[in-house]
Amino acid sequence: MTRHFLDITDLSGDELRLVLDLAQRSDLPRPLEGRGVALIFEKPSNRTRHSMEMAVVQLGGHPVYTRGEEVGFDVCEPVEDVTRVMAGYHGLLAARVFRHEIVVRMAACSTVPVVNMLSDWSHPLQALADVLTMQQVHGDLAGHTVAYVGDWNNVSRSLAEACVMLGAHVVLGCPPGYDAADAELERIAGLGSGSVRQVHRAVEAVAGATAVHTDTWTSMGQEAEKAERVKVFEGFGVTESLMAAAAPGAGFYHCMPAYRGYEVAAAVIDGPQSHVIAQAHNRLHAARGVLAFVMGVR
């Protein structure tokens, strides 16, 4: 059976742990030896491109970077035609897209694994790097509290899913109107032995937390909303005083790019509690782990 990786929930809890173990192995085989991997980017990215290209190389494959306009999903050609043709060239397809339905349609017709490098619904590669970094810093996440402050979005959704599956307790601190629906919280709560709850004050979200996460308030494609979002998210910036409300030794995490003076203070992201560079580097290791997994490495 062809395994795809579109969401964290495409993995069971045991499979998630296996992928994280594979990410840290130095003796992986090279399941992509002599094979190409199509990396399709509707949305450009620093970390995603470099981490994915190098992960493919380390597994023996040849990455082929392709801009979104070169394939023109549903403009030049239907998604299905692009996918079926590329599946004949490559051992694996990966796409970073605006609409999640694109990767869903790719997976539905592809004869090779499809990996979601980011969509408007989820960012599973980022979540793998997030939990991998937290495990390296704090140990087993079971029983720990992980706080997320900011917008309920693709990043926070995938992070919450992974954390609950690993037994962590997630607290979301989101402004009203930018928060998770009750149905989403119920769905995520059922994924594992962890828990998830939501509050509307940043300080309440981080109280006693082992790890504090945030994301940019204005993601790619939301530039027109920036002024309004800055107003809405006032008081949700992660400052030194906010970090002081977390548990002693708490770590700060950000998927980057980060905007100092907005969602995070420079003193926090550049300070001793920050693990954002290790988190970014772990994008490579997480990518390598999941690519090995979907290619059958166990």
Side-chain angles (χ1 to χ4, degrees):
M1 180 182 71
T2 302
R3 289 299 302 261
H4 305 295
F5 183 63
L6 310 186
D7 297 287
I8 287 293
T9 52
D10 287 334
L11 304 173
S12 68
D14 287 342
E15 288 173 337
L16 173 57
R17 292 177 179 87
L18 172 59
V19 168
L20 295 172
D21 288 342
L22 291 173
Q24 299 181 89
R25 279 178 53 182
S26 59
D27 62 341
L28 286 177
R30 292 164 65 86
L32 291 169
E33 189 75 54
R35 310 180 80 173
V37 173
L39 304 176
I40 306 168
F41 283 77
E42 285 191 326
K43 301 177 74 171
S45 171
N46 173 13
R47 279 155 294 278
T48 301
R49 178 176 180 179
H50 285 267
S51 61
M52 284 292 286
E53 287 199 9
M54 290 310 302
V56 170
V57 169
Q58 291 174 6
L59 293 176
H62 178 78
V64 180
Y65 174 81
T66 305
R67 298 192 307 274
E69 60 267 28
E70 294 180 82
V71 295
F73 286 135
D74 289 337
V75 176
C76 298
E77 293 187 83
V79 170
E80 290 75 13
D81 286 357
V82 173
T83 302
R84 291 188 183 106
V85 169
M86 284 195 167
Y89 303 146
H90 300 287
L92 186 147
L93 310 179
R96 181 177 167 94
V97 299
F98 284 98
R99 294 179 294 124
H100 190 71
E101 70 159 290
I102 299 296
V103 291
V104 172
R105 288 167 60 191
M106 290 178 69
C109 68
S110 180
T111 55
V112 300
V114 173
V115 171
N116 176 14
M117 298 191 293
L118 173 140
S119 69
D120 58 347
W121 175 258
S122 64
H123 198 352
L125 292 175
Q126 181 63 54
L128 290 177
D130 293 346
V131 295
L132 178 60
T133 311
M134 287 189 288
Q135 285 182 339
Q136 291 169 345
V137 175
H138 309 292
D140 187 343
L141 294 182
H144 285 276
T145 297
V146 176
Y148 176 89
V149 177
D151 193 6
W152 175 248
N153 58 15
N154 50 0
V155 170
S156 48
R157 177 179 289 110
S158 294
L159 172 66
E161 290 172 344
C163 286
V164 170
M165 290 171 69
L166 294 172
H169 304 299
V170 178
V171 185
L172 305 168
C174 308
Y178 295 81
D179 50 2
D182 289 344
E184 271 282 83
L185 299 179
E186 292 174 11
R187 176 186 67 83
I188 293 171
L191 294 177
S193 59
S195 65
V196 60
R197 64 185 178 91
Q198 184 167 247
V199 297
H200 292 123
R201 295 178 62 238
V203 69
E204 188 177 349
V206 306
T210 298
V212 177
H213 289 251
T214 192
D215 187 11
T216 178
W217 293 340
T218 309
S219 298
M220 192 180 302
Q222 298 175 331
E223 289 80 5
E225 304 173 28
K226 182 175 181 179
E228 177 62 24
R229 282 174 170 266
V230 168
K231 293 178 184 177
V232 169
F233 285 89
E234 184 177 357
F236 282 81
V238 181
T239 60
E240 289 177 289
S241 61
L242 190 67
M243 287 298 296
F252 172 76
Y253 301 86
H254 194 305
C255 60
M256 304 179 87
Y259 300 93
R260 292 157 175 80
Y262 289 91
E263 75 272 9
V264 61
V268 172
I269 193 170
D270 300 321
Q273 291 176 281
S274 177
H275 301 287
V276 299
I277 301 303
Q279 188 182 1
H281 290 167
N282 274 331
R283 287 291 305 276
L284 166 60
H285 307 304
R288 190 176 61 245
V290 80
L291 293 184
F293 175 81
V294 298
M295 293 303 295
V297 177
R298 297 292 183 270

